[in-house]
């Protein structure tokens, strides 16, 4: 093995991170590996406005580690303030890259519109919605996704906004469910998966995490994933008891997508 990548060390303090970095460095070097000084970075998540350890510097031996406001990890962009704006923009851009690579098929006038829509759902949708099951989305994020998708669908049909063709007609023509519905479906599908797991698995233990000394700053409170899930379930008239039966849960989630296309 020539190199290892995507390794994350987590601690509550900078001093703790320094200790773990040193242990990790010694462990790697004892096995013949070398920890990159130039590529190692750190991100400090700010859950409140309290400043601690201002005098502590994160170092790898004698070299100071570069601090970032955000970084990409396993296909997602993590921001220090806990927001998802950069992650949403990143996946919209990735969706456009896939769309352009497949534009020879998606913009082919000889290709039936329904087949284009099916190809779009298989190639572009998964890229745009990667990680969306964990997004605490706001209306602004949903609007960005909707605008990007409709531009793609209009070009697939050879239309522009000046043609004054309604979005619903275009979606029905290519057979593509609104991205807002798909985002809600993947969120609730992941929620059902989590609820069916035992209480001792890591993903369930995260539900019971508590932040000691947390103080909310001024301004509007942040939107959390649980709040989005409760809104989704209320809109679709679902209950947590339904998650226990996987077939029933998936059937209920698929009804909105089918209804949006008039099936």
């Amino acid at each position: 093995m020539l190199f290892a990548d995507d390794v994350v060390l987590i601690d509550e303090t900078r001093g703790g991170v320094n200790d773990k970095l040193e242990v990790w460095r010694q462990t790697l070097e004892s096995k013949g590996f070398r920890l990159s000084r130039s590529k190692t970075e750190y991100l400090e998540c700010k859950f409140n406005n309290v400043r601690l350890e201002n005098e502590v510097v994160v170092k790898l031996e004698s070299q100071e580690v570069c601090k970032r406001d955000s970084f990409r990890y396993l296909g997602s962009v993590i921001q220090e303030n806990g927001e998802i704006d950069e992650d949403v923009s990143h996946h919209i851009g990735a969706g456009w890259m896939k769309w352009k690579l497949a534009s020879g098929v998606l913009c082919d006038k000889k290709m039936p519109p329904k087949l284009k829509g099916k190809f779009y759902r298989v190639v572009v949708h998964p890229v745009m919605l990667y990680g969306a099951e964990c997004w605490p989305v706001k209306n602004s994020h949903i609007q960005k996704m909707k605008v990007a998708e409709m531009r793609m669908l209009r070009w697939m049909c050879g239309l522009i906004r000046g043609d004054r063709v309604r979005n619903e007609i275009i979606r029905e023509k290519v057979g593509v469910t609104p991205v807002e519905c798909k985002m809600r479906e993947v969120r609730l599908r992941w929620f059902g998966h989590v609820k069916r797991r035992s209480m001792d698995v890591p993903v369930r233990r995260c539900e019971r995490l508590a932040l000691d000394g947390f103080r909310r700053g001024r301004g509007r409170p942040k939107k959390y994933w649980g709040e989005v899930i409760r809104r989704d379930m209320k809109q679709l008239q679902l209950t947590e008891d339904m998650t226990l039966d996987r077939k029933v849960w998936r059937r209920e989630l698929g009804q909105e997508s089918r209804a949006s296309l008039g099936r």
Side-chain angles (χ1 to χ4, degrees):
M1 186 167 63
L2 299 179
F3 61 90
D5 203 356
D6 290 333
V7 177
V8 173
L9 303 178
I10 302 175
D11 201 275
E12 295 181 355
T13 64
R14 296 181 186 177
V17 170
N18 281 330
D19 295 338
K20 290 183 177 180
L21 269 175
E22 181 60 22
V23 172
W24 185 238
R25 182 190 66 81
Q26 293 178 3
T27 303
L28 287 177
E29 291 182 354
S30 67
K31 304 297 182 181
F33 289 91
R34 183 177 181 275
L35 188 58
S36 174
R37 272 64 172 171
S38 60
K39 294 183 179 180
T40 300
E41 303 167 337
Y42 83 95
L43 176 77
E44 185 174 4
C45 294
K46 300 176 181 177
F47 297 109
N48 53 44
N49 295 325
V50 179
R51 295 285 183 175
L52 298 174
E53 295 188 308
N54 289 332
E55 70 285 355
V56 179
V57 178
V58 179
K59 291 185 176 182
L60 186 56
E61 288 188 293
S62 59
Q63 181 174 335
E64 184 175 344
V65 177
C66 178
K67 183 179 179 180
R68 295 288 301 274
D69 295 331
S70 64
F71 71 93
R72 190 182 306 172
Y73 181 67
L74 298 180
S76 298
V77 178
I78 303 173
Q79 297 177 225
E80 67 173 1
N81 58 4
E83 297 292 346
I84 61 170
D85 303 85
E86 293 186 28
D87 200 20
V88 173
S89 299
H90 165 68
H91 282 92
I92 290 175
W96 272 114
M97 289 182 63
K98 284 293 182 181
W99 188 91
K100 291 175 181 177
L101 289 174
S103 59
V105 175
L106 296 175
C107 297
D108 188 350
K109 295 182 179 180
K110 298 180 181 179
M111 186 76 66
K114 293 291 184 182
L115 186 57
K116 289 183 181 181
K118 189 172 184 178
F119 193 82
Y120 171 86
R121 294 196 304 269
V122 173
V123 175
V124 181
H125 249 175
V127 177
M128 292 183 66
L129 298 180
Y130 179 81
E133 61 270 15
C134 298
W135 288 350
V137 290
K138 302 176 184 177
N139 291 333
S140 59
H141 302 139
I142 296 174
Q143 185 62 24
K144 285 183 179 180
M145 298 287 284
K146 290 167 66 174
V147 169
E149 181 175 75
M150 283 312 306
R151 287 185 65 190
M152 296 179 190
L153 298 183
R154 285 182 182 275
W155 283 356
M156 284 165 52
C157 297
L159 300 171
I160 59 175
R161 288 182 61 87
D163 294 323
R164 305 183 68 83
V165 179
R166 295 179 63 86
N167 294 346
E168 293 79 7
I169 296 176
I170 295 176
R171 291 189 182 281
E172 185 177 356
K173 184 177 181 180
V174 296
V176 174
T177 304
V179 68
E180 180 180 4
C181 298
K182 294 304 296 183
M183 292 172 69
R184 185 181 299 111
E185 181 180 343
V186 297
R187 273 197 307 271
L188 291 174
R189 185 176 293 182
W190 172 248
F191 174 73
H193 172 73
V194 170
K195 285 299 180 181
R196 287 190 294 270
R197 302 298 301 274
S198 61
M199 294 298 295
D200 59 339
V201 298
V203 70
R204 295 304 301 273
R205 293 204 300 269
C206 290
E207 295 179 321
R208 304 189 295 273
L209 288 178
L211 297 176
D212 296 331
F214 172 76
R215 291 190 302 174
R216 187 175 70 84
R218 294 181 179 180
R220 188 176 182 178
K222 292 182 179 180
K223 180 173 285 187
Y224 293 94
W225 183 74
E227 178 185 346
V228 179
I229 291 295
R230 287 191 293 271
R231 182 194 64 191
D232 293 339
M233 295 181 66
K234 182 178 181 180
Q235 182 172 345
L236 299 183
Q237 299 181 343
L238 302 174
T239 62
E240 288 192 17
D241 296 338
M242 295 180 179
T243 62
L244 301 179
D245 190 323
R246 183 172 178 271
K247 292 183 179 180
V248 172
W249 186 248
R250 289 178 69 94
R251 184 178 68 245
E252 293 293 330
L253 299 185
Q255 286 183 359
E256 184 185 22
S257 298
R258 292 189 292 271
S260 65
L261 295 176
R263 297 176 182 174

